[in-house]
Each structure stands twice: as structure tokens, then as C-alpha cells.
Amino acid sequence: MAPRHRRPPRELETPSATIRYEPIVEPEPWFSCSWDIAIIFLLLGGTAFAVVLHLYLYPTVDKIHPLPNVDLENAPYTWGTYRPHMYFGLRTRSPASPLFGMMWYEQPDTIQRPHIRHWCNQDDRLPGYYWYEADGRTFGRQNISETHKGVIQTDWINEANGFAARVKLNMAQGRRYNVILYLSAQELSTRFRLGRHLKDIFYGYNDLLGAFTLSVNLKDGTKLHSSHSAMLTDERIQIDKYQDFIVDNTQAINPQNQPLHYLLNEKKNSDEGKFIAVQLNLGSQAEFDIVLQTEKLKAMKSEEFNNILRGRSYNFNKKYENAFQLAGKNYTYNQQKMAKVALSNMLGSVGYWYGHNRVFHNNLLHPYGPHSFFSAVPSRPFFPRGFLWDEGFHQMLIRKMDPKMTLEVIVSWMNAMDTSGWIPREMIVGTEAEAKVPAEFIPQKSDVANPPTLFYVMDKLIHDDKTVARYAGILKLLYPRLEKWFTWIRVTQAGPTRSTFRWRGRNSTILSELNPKTLSSGLDDFPRASHPSDNEYHLDLKCWIALASRVLARLAKSYGTEVEYQKASKAMEELNNFDTLTKDHWSEEYQGFYDYGKHSVDVALAPVPAASSPRQFEYQRVTSRAPTYQLVTNVFGYNNLFPMMLKMIPSKSPALKAMLDKIHDPEVLWTKFGLRSISRKSPYYMAKNTEHDPPYWRGYIWININYMVLSSLRNYADQPGPYQEQSLTIFNELRANLVSNMAIQFQKTGFLWENYDDRTGQGRGCHPFTGWSSLILLIMSDNLDT
């Protein structure tokens, strides 16, 4: 599976000054002999020891002291769908939690290696799967559409320190399916034993949960096609190889006059172990309950499960309607369904990870952590991990339903900070997260920034009186962390002059790219100055820092000292000065705000002779006009909208009118499906960035940026000025276009998508996209908190 285009590896960067080395202490000799022999052995041993230290025992980034968990008392013991990369998997938010998971496959009629469904995978080509009700804390209801028009339904609830779940198969008549349920230990004290019956199939002990039993109860009318099979091993199985281990330890049984069926090989079973599984051989119609019982949670009867699930579903729907109020709006059934799936998938895909990042320093990898990390994810099959740039958009939606969860997630990100204020832009933490990422994409760079979108959601939180009153203690703890992060970005990403800023990470030597990527900006291949240099500066970064300064000033007023408030106010005044923004970035001729840098308006990818290439040539960037320092005016798109999106343009400024005109122009950004990412007039529109790399942020429609535009349009429609009516008209038309097209694509495909084609409206990229495309719900609710 190809990695996300906006997160490929980058060239090595200057490391953070926070890397620290521990002194190497030479070991004392443990033997007694002559001085000459001792010196020789010491030299040899010291050399070997130094080599080992150099190659393997890397020093670590200095991690800041963590803030306390917002929900410290309950989180470690409470089960949830915190394994978002799985079709159905549960764990608690503790490193000591056992992992529960489900696999299934269609029983073949001939002996062959079955294709197991386990981790979400686009290559499975399932017609659809989504949580249609889920609160991310206490329950969830999911439909998984299989091929041949079958559906698997998974419902779950948690109680005390255990859980209960129900799995229902409604598959095509005559087909047979094998379902495997397993538990896996994550630390040495957890041990499993096999029971004799499905009603007590697993026994176990764990320091976190105590003694527990897992039972499987077949519902009336559900019959096994053969006796259940189980396995228990004390082998250490790599976490991404569970399904391979199951298949490798499956045997085919072909009794006379009976159909072939597969069973787990029980010959290898240990008395105790750390991986345990049971397989149910089922027909096309089946239903069973699963209960993990502890001393605090006793056996749960079916009717009790029904009542709890029904109550939580009712509370969820009541809270949902109070937050978004869609019932009274004129939306179709399909649009309403899409909206609820958007929220439920977001909440049902929140994950927990424990472990270390890997960070580059001096061309070597360093472990950084450990982290107990809690975050939403962009996509269950493709990106089931935390992304700093995405997270602010995730929390814009989650905060409306569960502001406490939003604060828990923000605290988790702040706890990933090092002492300088740097935060990894991807949290690839632990073996389970790394298993979904190609090795070359795992390392993080400790001096590379990312858009500080958490300030975007913090701006909303601190303007909500109820949130401020209820969570003032958390906000007070967050203030100094946010201030440290802001200072780190402002200092490390400074531009050539005081009022300018530059994203680090662009490659000034690469020739194979039409326009060297700016991955740290989150906009990846959105064109900047054609020839990267230290003297360029970037519009979007300037605007992000200006927003952050406004949030910090408000926080400092409530939770800081008078000195801190005065300092924050001064920074806010400087960074939000519209005259300075205009001086640095505005083009009167082209009526827009632009990046500045060493730029040629005439570049192309062309074959260049290269003796080292088998083809004797390679495609490189060539120019027919030499680059000069100038505003990048032959590019207009999402980047150029940031002064409006982050509300830096005065409502009466003619610059706002210029922005509105470009937004509404079909030859620039406007389409009947949403705003495209770059103008059709730009030479970079839909242009490949290398011979093989397709365009990404060069035309397609992205919902997070469309959301930001809508939020700003709603703001300007409410502000006194000559452009209120124009802002409101564009707002209404854009919202209608987005909702209509996304609902059509959802009905056709069963998914929300990463982005949408600006020419056809079709969904593109990875799917299901549980991330910022879910903002369509906020767009539909008109709840943009301007």
C-alpha cells in the first residue's frame, strides 16, 4: 500500500538542540592478570563498547515532564475501540491492557490459503464499513458490508473493567464463515488458559484487570458447522503477524460425505500462554455474544446487554441532536445518515498507543519516549495513527460532542513535546503503529514543524463559557505548554526578516521535482517558490502564528501573570498587523496575498541527458527564465486564502473583495462540488510533481480547507462592511455544493473520502476517511462558531 503523499521521507535536517548525550563510563576490568594483558583487553573491550554505543545505544530526545491525564482514574481500566486499524478490536488505555481482536474469512470449498479480514485494508475491497453510532467511550454499533451482499454487525459496550459485544452475521445464503476471537498479552504478568466450553473459553490474569474470563454465547438458532477449535501459545508473535500465525496453524478437515472445513490446530496448545484464540465455524446466518468478565463485571445476560446498549444509543442520539440540530433542517435521509456516520466514525476511530517515536539526529535514529498517546486518526486502513496537522480539525468536530475528550487528546499531544517545544508531526508510537508504516516513513525530524491547528480548536474552546467554567484547571495547565510550542515555532521557523516565517524542510538541491515539496506545511506539493532558499517566506505559516498569538493572549489574560499577558499582547499586536502582512505578501497587480522567494514563472519537467540512467536521460526541473526573488504570483489556491480563513483581513478592506471574487470564479477555485485547491489558470494545476508522482494539492477538493473558508465567510457575513451580502451568498452556495456532492458519493460508495475530484466530484485518495472530511457534519449544522 502506498504511503500518504503528504508524508514521504525528507532529506536530513539540522537536529534539535534538545538532543543530549549521556557520558560514557568505561567498565572496570572484571579479571585479574598482568598489566600488559589487562591494558590490551581494556583497549579491545573499550573499542567494542564504543562501537556498540555508537551503533545501538542512541541518546534520546529530552522529553518534557508530562501533564496528568484528564481522566487518570478511569482510562486505564475502561475498554474501548482504541485499535482503530482493526475492523473490530478493543483494548484499554493502558500499556498493560490485553488486546482483543476479531478475524474472519469465508470457508473455502477447496484447500487453499484463506484471505483473512483482520486489520482494515483497502485491498479487501469491502463495499463499506462504518460505525453508525459510537461515542468513543462507552459503546459502538458498526456495519461491515462483505462481498456477496453480506453484512456483519458488531455492537459493543463496556462496564466496570470488562466489556460485552455482539456479533451478527447476515450473509449470502449457502456460504460459510469462520470467525476467530483472540486475546493477546502485552506484558509478562498477563497469562491465559483455555477452558473446556465456549461459555468459559478463556481464563486469564492481568495486574490491571485481575482475574477474568471470556465467554462466547451462541444465540438461539445459531449452530456450529463443526465443534469450535481453540489454540494457546506462549510463543512471542509479532503483532502484525497474528493473522499469519492463525493461518499457519490452521488445518483442513475433510470428513467423508461432509464439506471441507478448517479448524485451529490444537496440538500445539500450551498449559499457559500469552496468545489465545478460538474459532467458530458458522453458516450464513449466525449471532453470538462475547463477555469479558472480571470480579467487577459478572456474567451479562442477553437482555441486560440489550437494555444497556439501547440506553447508550438513546443518550448518544439525544446528545447528537442537541449538538448539531439537523432534525429541523431540510436534509435528505441519505444526507442525515452521512452526517451521523461522519461523527460516529470519527469517535469510533479514536486510538491509544504506547511506546517510542524514532527521531533522526546526526544521521542516526534515536528512541523518543515512552509516550502514552491518545488521538483521533485520519483513516482506519491507511493512516491509523496521530497526525499533528490533522488533529486540530478532528477536534473541531469532537469538541461539540465531547469537549472533555478533546482536552484529553490535546493534553496527550502536549505530553509528546520535548523540552524545547518541538512536537513530532506524526506519532508513530509502538509496534502496532509502526506495522502500518513503511520503514522509511517512520523517523521524525526534531526541527520540522507542522501547522499548529490545535490553536485553531483552542480558539473555539476558550470562547465557550461552559467549557472554560468546567475545565479551567486543564486550560491553566495547557497554557504554558502552548506558549512553549508557540515560541519554538516562532523561533525555529523564522524567516529572513522579523515579520516573516519560513517552513523548514524544503530540498533546495533536488532536481527531479517540478516544485520541491513543503511537507511540513501540510499542503505537501502545493507550489511555493520554484527554487527553495533561506530567504523565502510563507504566507500560511505567518497566518498560523498570528492565530496562535491571539489564543495565547487570551489564555495569558486568564491564567498567566501580568508580565506574561503584556508579552503575549505585544506579540499578538505585532503578528496580526494587517499593514505588515500587506507589505510582505500583497500584490497590488495580482490582487492577492502570496508567498515570496526565488521563483521562475517558466519551469517544466523535461528529459535531461544522464549517463548514469539506463535510459540515458532523466526528468528534471528546467527553466527557460532564470529565477529571481519575487512574490509567487502564478500560483493561487488554498495557501493564498489563509489571511481570509484565519480572519486577518478587515471586513471593510478591498482585499476581502478580491478574495471573494477569486473564490467564486470557476476559472480560479469555484466548482459545483467545492473549492479546488489551486487555480485552473496556474501552470501547476493538475501537474505531476515528478515523472511518476501524481498531483495531490494541485486541484482536488479538500474538506478541511473548505470548512475553514466557510467559517470565515460566515464571519464576514456577520461583520459590518460592504461585502456582507457577497460573503453570505458564497457561503450558502458553497455549503450546498459540498453537502450535495459528498452525500452523492457516500451513497454511491459507502465511504467518506480523503479528497474529491474537482471535475467530476468523485471521491479520491484513501477511504474510509474518518478524519477531516467528517467536518461535513459541522458544515451541515451551520455550527461554525465564527
Side-chain angles (χ1 to χ4, degrees):
M1 184 180 295
R4 194 174 190 175
H5 296 115
R6 61 184 167 121
R7 292 167 171 86
R10 299 181 299 279
E11 69 281 5
L12 296 177
E13 307 268 351
T14 305
S16 167
T18 62
I19 305 291
R20 59 188 176 92
Y21 288 86
E22 300 295 342
I24 299 174
V25 180
E26 296 287 354
E28 295 182 4
W30 53 270
F31 54 86
S32 176
C33 59
S34 70
W35 281 108
D36 291 342
I37 297 176
I39 290 172
I40 291 172
F41 272 95
L42 277 173
L43 289 173
L44 292 174
T47 301
F49 186 60
V51 170
V52 170
L53 279 175
H54 181 70
L55 293 177
Y56 300 107
L57 303 181
Y58 306 143
T60 62
V61 175
D62 195 4
K63 190 168 182 277
I64 201 166
H65 184 73
L67 298 172
N69 195 313
V70 179
D71 190 21
L72 186 62
E73 183 177 348
N74 297 316
Y77 309 98
T78 305
W79 291 82
T81 48
Y82 301 135
R83 303 179 72 196
H85 59 286
M86 293 188 58
Y87 291 113
F88 186 42
L90 302 169
R91 66 167 301 157
T92 77
R93 286 160 56 186
S94 167
S97 173
L99 305 181
F100 169 80
M102 183 179 87
M103 310 177 194
W104 77 93
Y105 60 92
E106 185 174 358
Q107 169 69 59
D109 292 325
T110 59
I111 296 177
Q112 58 183 277
R113 188 175 181 88
H115 180 76
I116 289 186
R117 321 292 203 196
H118 180 212
W119 285 18
C120 300
N121 191 334
Q122 288 185 178
D123 292 339
D124 287 341
R125 301 188 182 280
L126 297 182
Y129 56 96
Y130 50 76
W131 297 99
Y132 62 92
E133 287 181 3
D135 65 0
R137 288 193 184 275
T138 68
F139 90 108
R141 312 192 72 181
Q142 178 182 219
N143 281 337
I144 304 169
S145 298
E146 254 288 6
T147 52
H148 312 297
K149 298 183 179 179
V151 176
I152 298 176
Q153 183 174 334
T154 62
D155 300 336
W156 74 275
I157 60 173
N158 56 31
E159 278 288 297
N161 60 347
F163 69 84
R166 177 169 297 156
V167 178
K168 185 175 182 179
L169 279 68
N170 185 11
M171 315 302 279
Q173 194 68 30
R175 296 182 179 274
R176 297 177 295 144
Y177 288 84
N178 297 338
V179 177
I180 300 102
L181 310 172
Y182 70 83
L183 285 174
S184 173
Q186 298 303 293
E187 39 79 48
L188 295 176
S189 70
T190 301
R191 307 297 290 169
F192 303 126
R193 290 180 291 113
L194 278 170
R196 295 185 177 182
H197 308 284
L198 281 175
K199 291 188 177 181
D200 60 352
I201 190 64
F202 299 161
Y203 289 97
Y205 178 83
N206 173 271
D207 288 342
L208 182 74
L209 306 173
F212 57 84
T213 303
L214 188 136
S215 62
V216 179
N217 303 307
L218 301 179
K219 301 298 287 292
D220 293 342
T222 297
K223 295 182 179 180
L224 297 177
H225 280 222
S226 63
S227 177
H228 74 269
S229 54
M231 66 175 302
L232 171 65
T233 181
D234 208 28
E235 293 183 43
R236 186 178 182 86
I237 310 168
Q238 194 170 324
I239 201 165
D240 59 331
K241 301 298 183 184
Y242 288 172
Q243 66 188 51
D244 293 332
F245 183 81
I246 289 292
V247 173
D248 292 343
N249 287 277
T250 294
Q251 56 185 340
I253 306 296
N254 196 1
Q256 189 174 3
N257 299 324
Q258 293 186 32
L260 176 75
H261 56 264
Y262 290 174
L263 297 175
L264 294 179
N265 187 350
E266 300 178 335
K267 294 180 181 179
K268 294 185 177 181
N269 284 348
S270 307
D271 293 331
E272 285 192 339
K274 48 182 172 278
F275 182 87
I276 192 167
V278 60
Q279 177 173 304
L280 310 177
N281 290 36
L282 303 164
S284 60
Q285 308 293 312
E287 186 174 347
F288 56 91
D289 289 349
I290 309 159
V291 180
L292 188 133
Q293 307 167 40
T294 66
E295 293 179 357
K296 295 181 180 180
L297 176 64
K298 301 304 180 182
M300 185 179 294
K301 295 181 179 180
S302 180
E303 189 57 35
E304 185 180 0
F305 178 88
N306 291 340
N307 291 337
I308 295 174
L309 182 64
R310 191 180 302 115
R312 292 183 183 178
S313 174
Y314 173 83
N315 291 335
F316 170 82
N317 284 291
K318 182 179 179 181
K319 194 172 183 180
Y320 171 82
E321 179 56 29
N322 288 338
F324 304 106
Q325 300 178 1
L326 295 190
K329 294 181 168 60
N330 190 29
Y331 289 119
T332 67
Y333 169 79
N334 181 58
Q335 290 170 339
Q336 293 271 11
K337 179 181 178 181
M338 175 187 67
K340 190 179 292 185
V341 166
L343 176 68
S344 299
N345 255 338
M346 176 80 78
L347 291 169
S349 302
V350 172
Y352 171 85
W353 303 263
Y354 180 81
H356 291 74
N357 291 96
R358 301 189 192 187
V359 179
F360 260 128
H361 176 65
N362 285 348
N363 297 339
L364 295 174
L365 278 177
H366 305 262
Y368 174 48
H371 309 283
S372 288
F373 187 64
F374 184 54
S375 169
V377 304
S379 173
R380 290 168 67 186
F382 226 67
F383 309 113
R385 57 191 184 274
F387 290 84
L388 184 57
W389 145 245
D390 299 59
E391 194 63 62
F393 296 109
H394 299 162
Q395 297 309 318
M396 289 296 290
L397 180 59
I398 291 175
R399 72 190 167 89
K400 301 299 295 184
M401 196 73 170
D402 192 340
K404 182 181 179 183
M405 179 178 287
T406 291
L407 288 167
E408 289 180 85
V409 168
I410 294 174
V411 166
S412 185
W413 278 100
M414 292 300 107
N415 283 344
M417 181 183 292
D418 81 348
T419 52
S420 73
W422 169 75
I423 302 174
R425 70 186 190 98
E426 288 188 46
M427 289 298 288
I428 308 170
V429 173
T431 305
E432 200 160 16
E434 288 187 356
K436 294 289 285 187
V437 187
E440 66 270 24
F441 296 95
I442 292 174
Q444 301 293 293
K445 312 292 175 54
S446 57
D447 62 344
V448 171
N450 221 203
T453 56
L454 294 181
F455 281 103
Y456 192 56
V457 69
M458 284 296 300
D459 189 39
K460 309 303 181 185
L461 291 171
I462 61 178
H463 282 86
D464 183 332
D465 292 338
K466 290 183 179 179
T467 299
V468 171
R470 186 171 183 180
Y471 299 109
I474 302 171
L475 295 173
K476 186 174 183 178
L477 290 174
L478 284 172
Y479 161 63
R481 296 297 172 88
L482 292 166
E483 197 280 331
K484 181 180 283 289
W485 187 28
F486 166 78
T487 301
W488 181 87
I489 297 173
R490 189 180 181 187
V491 170
T492 64
Q493 310 298 300
T497 63
R498 181 177 177 83
S499 61
T500 61
F501 299 91
R502 174 175 64 88
W503 294 112
R504 299 315 195 254
R506 299 193 76 204
N507 189 339
S508 61
T509 62
I510 193 168
L511 297 176
S512 61
E513 294 184 354
L514 176 64
N515 190 278
K517 292 185 289 291
T518 316
L519 296 165
S520 52
S521 73
L523 300 179
D524 292 14
D525 67 343
F526 188 95
R528 309 280 180 161
S530 61
H531 293 66
S533 72
D534 291 348
N535 292 318
E536 67 188 23
Y537 43 88
H538 301 131
L539 176 64
D540 53 339
L541 180 54
K542 164 82 173 187
C543 297
W544 280 122
I545 293 177
L547 168 69
S549 71
R550 300 198 300 264
V551 174
L552 278 178
R554 189 176 180 94
L555 285 169
K557 185 175 183 180
S558 298
Y559 307 114
T561 64
E562 181 61 27
V563 172
E564 290 170 332
Y565 173 61
Q566 293 300 327
K567 178 183 176 183
S569 297
K570 183 178 180 181
M572 178 183 68
E573 183 178 350
E574 175 187 334
L575 293 168
N576 288 272
N577 187 292
F578 185 66
D579 291 338
T580 303
L581 177 70
T582 301
K583 175 179 67 69
D584 291 333
H585 292 282
W586 175 259
S587 168
E588 187 65 26
E589 179 182 358
Y590 292 93
Q591 288 291 290
F593 295 95
Y594 299 92
D595 279 353
Y596 176 88
K598 191 176 182 181
H599 186 63
S600 172
V601 296
D602 198 348
V603 298
L605 285 176
V608 173
S612 60
S613 172
R615 300 182 299 179
Q616 299 298 303
F617 72 89
E618 59 184 25
Y619 279 87
Q620 294 184 4
R621 181 180 72 248
V622 297
T623 61
S624 57
R625 212 178 309 182
T628 60
Y629 281 99
Q630 58 181 297
L631 291 173
V632 185
T633 55
N634 66 337
V635 177
F636 189 91
Y638 285 170
N639 178 49
N640 309 87
L641 301 180
F642 270 89
M644 187 190 82
M645 291 191 298
L646 295 182
K647 307 174 180 69
M648 295 181 67
I649 304 175
S651 61
K652 297 180 182 180
S653 170
L656 178 59
K657 176 70 163 60
M659 289 287 203
L660 297 173
D661 289 344
K662 283 183 168 62
I663 285 173
H664 210 209
D665 185 346
E667 291 301 310
V668 185
L669 301 186
W670 189 262
T671 82
K672 61 181 179 180
F673 312 115
L675 299 182
R676 62 171 65 92
S677 44
I678 194 173
S679 169
R680 289 179 61 183
K681 297 178 180 180
S682 172
Y684 292 99
Y685 172 69
M686 298 307 295
K688 288 185 175 182
N689 201 45
T690 71
E691 180 185 2
H692 304 291
D693 289 348
Y696 200 46
W697 292 82
R698 297 186 180 181
Y700 299 135
I701 296 165
W702 296 79
I703 305 307
N704 61 329
I705 301 297
N706 276 265
Y707 170 83
M708 293 177 72
V709 170
L710 282 168
S711 179
S712 66
L713 288 170
R714 180 73 264 179
N715 170 71
Y716 286 116
D718 294 336
Q719 297 294 319
Y723 313 117
Q724 284 182 281
E725 186 175 345
Q726 186 180 10
S727 297
L728 183 59
T729 298
I730 298 174
F731 171 85
N732 289 327
E733 291 181 14
L734 178 57
R735 179 177 60 176
N737 289 347
L738 287 163
V739 173
S740 174
N741 182 64
M742 286 187 66
I744 289 171
Q745 300 307 318
F746 177 75
Q747 188 169 28
K748 283 182 178 180
T749 66
F751 297 111
L752 297 181
W753 292 76
E754 185 179 10
N755 52 59
Y756 293 82
D757 194 292
D758 65 307
R759 296 157 297 188
T760 66
Q762 291 181 330
R764 297 185 51 86
C766 65
H767 59 280
F769 197 76
T770 51
W772 57 44
S773 294
S774 300
L775 289 169
I776 192 62
L777 170 54
L778 280 182
I779 291 170
M780 292 173 66
S781 73
D782 197 12
N783 197 342
L784 300 170
D785 287 353
T786 56

